[in-house]
Amino acid sequence: MSKLTIPVRKFDAVIVGAGGSGLRAAIQLSEAGLKTAVLSKVFPTRSHTVAAQGGVSASLGNSEEDHWHWHMYDTVKGSDWLGDQDAIEYMCRMAPEVVVELEHFGMPFDRTDEGKIYQRPFGGHMSNFGEKPVRRACAAADRTGHAMLHALYQRNVRANTQFFVEWMALDLIRDDSGQVLGVIALEMETGDVVAFHAKATVFATGGAGRIFYSSTNAFINTGDGLGMAARAGIALEDMEFWQFHPTGVAGAGVLITEGVRGEGGILRNSANERFMERYAPNAKDLASRDVVSRAMVTEINEGRGCGPNKDFVLLDITHLDPATIMKRLPGIREISIQFAGIDPIKAPIPVVPTCHYQMGGVPTNYKGQVVSQDATPIPGFYAAGEVACASVHGANRLGTNSLLDLLVFGKSSGDSVIDDLRSGAIGLKELPADYAERTLSRLNRLNTQTGGASVNETRLELQRTMQKHCGVFRFKDMLVEGVAKILDVEKAVLRTEIKDKSQVWNTARVEALELDNLIEVAKATMISAEARKESRGAHVRDDAPDTAANPNGRDDVNWHKHTLWHRESNRLDYKPVIMKPLSVESIALKTRSY
Amino acid sequence: MATSTMQFKIYRYDPDKDAAPYMQDISVEVDFAIDRKLLDVLTKLKAKDDTLSYRRSCREGICGSDAMNINGKNGLACLTEIKDLKQPVVLRPLPGLPVIRDLIVDMTQFFKQYHSIKPYLINEGPRPDRERLQSPEDREELNGLYECILCACCSTSCPSFWWNPDKFVGPAGLLNAYRFIADTRDQATNERLDDLEDPYRLFRCHSIMNCVDVCPKGLNPTRAIGKIKEMMVRRAI
């Protein structure tokens, strides 16, 4: 092939993604005066952080006593002990600082009578090491993500951050030594392909919830960072762990925040029974999300679902004061009216567990540096937010810890870039001769493909396969079959065809390129899930049931370890869970109950 | 099954191949049990013809991507109930902004105006260790303001913005300006009022109230603009 060249732009740092973590990282870099480019597929305030509702956790103790150490304990327990305890301690200790900082940036939090940040109870948030519920979720009504994303964007406007809006990053650039040198990106408006050559590359590309058919996630959540990392030879960690949020609107998939239960909402089955009392006698409706989702599916499977097809349960807030609903939950009232045709003041909302969040991702340490298997940082590469696996969420994320993750690791990844640039650990190395080849041949293939597969149908096949074979409950045979099916889907992905050949705002091309990323995530997920022969957190399988030797089906002897999936030949490796926190004592393995 | 054929007229323009924009007649089978919103039907249309171009993301009315002109009125495709629409359903890009392709407009001017009002909290005082206090009543002043999703439905329905998009801040920008003026934590009220005290930036608003009529979040920019004017009068006397 003759040598193809594309325009090159040089920066100190390039941040890919302008949701919460990307914007938080950008604040660090812009305010430090670094020449930074922030690339985003959508205008920053359209990023999916905007859809977060219930709150961001921090042990501010504004309404009752709280402590970061209790928050840490809840997070470790919530993770079913798969989270790394150094990163979890770091996140929970930093929480008050980053949340207060956000308030200083202008975030319009709700307020207590004393004028402090309003906090509400949330699933799995307890005081005194698991004793009783505590108000830890800092909220702006039920629009916390929207208020946060706008406040972060606004702070970046103040800092004069340079955005490249509606640019899609296509591939990571690495040299022979493995150092990351930037990304190749597509300007959607013009179809131009440009190299962003940088000393530091920060991935803040968000999750890939769109691998499932039924998802709370936006259309844009296609795992672009994961696809790029996998194609560049970086392993993906713990991809079998996906959170199914208990309360997606039945049929529509749109999220109804856990904050609804935090404010007193109750889940009921067809007998009008508050069934969570049987599954989690202590925390009840505010147990961890994996626990609640499984309870709901069990109720439905055992015939106690509601509606003509008995395929959902009800989220009831009709007993709450309408004034509370109007003040604290105005957004979910709008959503219920819009997407369920129900005013929750008058009638309960039909809900089902819906894919919501990816616990796994690109392996990082708590400083936001991407690490290889032996924990050494990959020079020039950083990641934060849902694309990253620090790992603070382990096998199951606690509600409100995702918004906290964005702030803490967005900031720490930015700080690490600054430190590594100042110490001279990273610099602008020369681009390898063939750096653009893979991307350009991918684009060329797409432009010239004939007689290929439909992007839309192939994506649907992928989503249905994931939904059927890798859902809330997993089955050995279905997983084995699922691996074969996903590898079949991959064959279609490699020969997708688009009819639209225009250079200008070609959304068909963008969707085909997104599918290239979705398939990497789907393979990583299915193959990692098939291999993990235990039940832990959100990964529960029929051949690993609750026994005396392995309570809840968790097998710490053989499976207390992180999965690493390598794209090359779908190889799996494992690495130990970090049990040693930074300053406190390790939180020892224990059976998990709520 | 409540299935029926619906007629659409959609604005099409691809600068790569079309000499001029045109309206395309399309009919589509709609299953009202599944295709509840206009965006569901657009997704269906795009599955058949992948050249149809529009922005979309969250599909729940919070990201502000899929604003368009629907039967003559601006709105979000993801919040527009399909069964309520009169046929043929006429879809056009947001009016008053340059069209890039099909239903996608160039929003540069809209964001330029938003940025012009300094949309960030200005408080140069020393940063306290904890949050700045704000009473629940003071916080309530921000309700109806901070919820703006920057979809541009309002500004692109405003004749004053059509005529002077480079000089008139427009309803979205002004609503956001008042969001900071009304925030007890912000210290730049006077500068913000000075900046808007201009025959164009604020005073091109003639209270036509199209903005209020179209806002998908039920916000009221005209009221916010009125409050700004009121503050200007009050500080003058």
Side-chain angles (χ1 to χ4, degrees), chain A residues 43 45-46 50-51 53 60 62 100-101 103-117 140-141 143 146-147 150 153-155 157-158 166 189 210 215-220 252-255 327 334-335 338-341 456 498-500 502-508 511, chain B residues 14-16 36-37 39 43 46-47 50-65 78-81 100-101 104 106-107 110-111 114-115 119-121 124 127-136 139-140 142 146-151 176 179-180 183 185 216-217:
Chain A
F43 184 77
T45 63
R46 319 225 186 279
V50 80
Q53 298 173 357
L60 295 171
N62 283 354
V100 165
E101 219 165 46
E103 193 280 330
H104 294 164
F105 292 166
M107 168 97 172
F109 281 112
D110 285 5
R111 300 289 169 158
T112 65
D113 288 341
E114 296 164 288
K116 296 177 181 171
I117 293 171
R143 305 184 178 105
H146 169 273
H150 282 252
Y153 177 67
Q154 290 159 356
R155 184 75 179 185
V157 174
R158 181 181 181 271
E166 292 169 340
E189 185 177 336
R210 283 274 160 178
S215 170
T216 66
N217 282 202
F219 281 105
I220 56 171
V254 177
L255 173 70
K327 185 170 180 181
E334 270 177 47
I335 285 173
Q338 272 283 350
F339 292 96
N456 190 59
I498 53 173
K499 304 281 185 236
D500 189 348
S502 175
Q503 282 298 97
V504 180
W505 249 103
N506 188 330
T507 48
E511 288 186 28
Chain B
D14 176 357
D16 249 11
R36 308 267 286 272
K37 306 291 181 186
L39 182 60
T43 308
K46 188 166 178 60
D50 69 8
T51 66
L52 176 64
S53 307
Y54 53 90
R55 294 185 176 101
R56 87 284 181 265
S57 182
C58 76
R59 61 83 166 86
E60 58 184 79
I62 191 72
C63 79
S65 296
C78 62
L79 294 185
T80 300
E81 203 69 42
I100 300 173
R101 180 177 177 179
I104 297 171
D106 180 351
M107 298 187 72
F110 172 79
F111 288 121
Y114 171 68
H115 293 147
Y120 43 84
L121 193 82
E124 303 303 336
R127 288 250 300 253
D129 287 342
R130 289 293 301 244
E131 66 263 51
R132 294 195 172 98
L133 298 181
Q134 184 173 52
S135 73
R139 165 61 183 78
E140 210 135 292
L142 307 183
Y146 83 94
E147 301 94 322
C148 174
I149 58 173
L150 299 175
C151 64
N176 279 284
R179 177 249 173 274
F180 289 100
D183 195 323
R185 300 170 296 172
K217 306 308 284 181

Side-chain angles (χ1 to χ4, degrees), chain A residues 264-570:
Chain A
I266 290 168
L267 290 165
R268 298 186 187 281
N269 60 19
S270 57
N272 208 30
E273 180 203 7
R274 183 181 192 179
F275 59 86
M276 278 313 299
E277 288 178 329
R278 280 188 275 119
Y279 296 88
N282 186 26
K284 300 189 179 87
D285 300 89
L286 286 179
S288 248
R289 287 181 179 171
D290 57 333
V291 175
V292 179
S293 284
R294 276 194 295 276
M296 290 167 69
V297 173
T298 303
E299 290 299 299
I300 292 167
N301 287 348
E302 292 178 359
R304 292 184 295 278
C306 305
N309 301 320
K310 294 177 170 292
D311 56 358
F312 56 81
V313 301
L314 293 169
L315 176 59
D316 186 6
I317 51 171
T318 55
H319 54 287
L320 299 187
D321 179 2
T324 304
I325 295 173
M326 297 304 285
K327 185 170 180 181
R328 301 292 182 207
L329 305 167
I332 72 100
R333 179 168 179 253
E334 270 177 47
I335 285 173
S336 303
I337 292 170
Q338 272 283 350
F339 292 96
I342 274 166
D343 183 347
I345 291 175
K346 297 176 192 142
I349 312 162
V351 289
V352 284
T354 307
C355 175
H356 185 55
Y357 189 87
Q358 141 204 319
M359 267 76 74
V362 176
T364 68
N365 58 24
Y366 68 88
K367 296 172 185 167
Q369 297 167 310
V370 178
V371 291
S372 50
Q373 192 159 354
D374 63 358
T376 52
I378 294 173
F381 197 22
Y382 308 79
E386 194 169 342
V387 65
C389 182
S391 149
V392 284
H393 310 304
N396 169 67
R397 175 174 70 76
L398 285 194
T400 72
N401 268 353
S402 57
L403 291 187
L404 178 60
D405 171 340
L406 304 177
L407 295 175
V408 170
F409 299 109
K411 186 176 179 180
S412 78
S413 62
D415 284 339
S416 295
V417 169
I418 295 167
D419 290 348
D420 291 349
L421 281 171
R422 292 205 174 132
S423 72
I426 50 173
L428 204 64
K429 284 176 71 181
E430 214 170 303
L431 294 173
D434 61 349
Y435 75 93
E437 230 166 68
R438 180 178 47 211
T439 315
L440 293 176
S441 63
R442 206 148 62 90
L443 289 169
N444 189 43
R445 199 279 302 160
L446 198 55
N447 278 338
T448 53
Q449 180 77 50
T450 52
S454 138
V455 171
N456 190 59
E457 278 161 30
T458 309
R459 185 179 49 219
L460 275 172
E461 183 61 24
L462 182 154
Q463 292 169 331
R464 291 199 176 111
T465 304
M466 294 308 297
Q467 193 80 24
K468 186 172 166 197
H469 291 263
C470 209
V472 174
F473 284 106
R474 296 168 177 181
F475 303 89
K476 181 174 182 259
D477 299 345
M478 293 291 281
L479 286 166
V480 172
E481 208 179 295
V483 170
K485 277 195 181 177
I486 278 297
L487 294 177
D488 256 359
V489 172
E490 186 185 25
K491 289 177 195 152
V493 173
L494 292 172
R495 44 180 290 278
T496 47
E497 180 184 353
I498 53 173
K499 304 281 185 236
D500 189 348
K501 309 288 185 193
S502 175
Q503 282 298 97
V504 180
W505 249 103
N506 188 330
T507 48
R509 178 182 299 158
V510 167
E511 288 186 28
L513 294 166
E514 288 174 335
L515 184 56
D516 288 351
N517 297 324
L518 286 168
I519 189 66
E520 299 301 337
V521 182
K523 283 187 294 175
T525 300
M526 195 73 88
I527 290 166
S528 303
E530 192 278 325
R532 184 176 282 271
K533 309 281 190 305
E534 66 156 355
S535 298
R536 181 185 299 270
H539 174 71
V540 165
R541 43 190 293 160
D542 65 331
D543 55 344
D546 185 21
T547 61
N550 291 336
N552 299 326
R554 197 177 85 193
D555 176 1
D556 290 325
V557 176
N558 295 303
W559 288 100
H560 187 232
K561 56 189 178 186
H562 295 295
T563 307
L564 291 171
W565 170 80
H566 301 263
R567 177 172 184 263
E568 191 226 332
S569 67
N570 289 312

Side-chain angles (χ1 to χ4, degrees), chain A residues 26-90:
Chain A
I27 291 170
Q28 289 312 96
L29 300 182
S30 291
E31 291 187 349
L34 295 179
K35 191 181 176 202
T36 307
V38 183
L39 274 57
S40 177
K41 283 201 290 190
V42 293
F43 184 77
T45 63
R46 319 225 186 279
S47 309
H48 195 55
T49 304
V50 80
Q53 298 173 357
V56 51
S57 51
S59 57
L60 295 171
N62 283 354
S63 296
E64 56 193 319
E65 191 190 357
D66 199 4
H67 196 283
W68 67 260
H69 202 182
W70 301 346
H71 184 187
M72 177 184 172
Y73 177 86
D74 295 343
T75 303
V76 171
K77 177 180 170 184
S79 82
D80 216 347
W81 275 267
L82 193 69
D84 288 333
Q85 295 194 14
D86 57 344
I88 294 175
E89 175 181 337
Y90 183 77

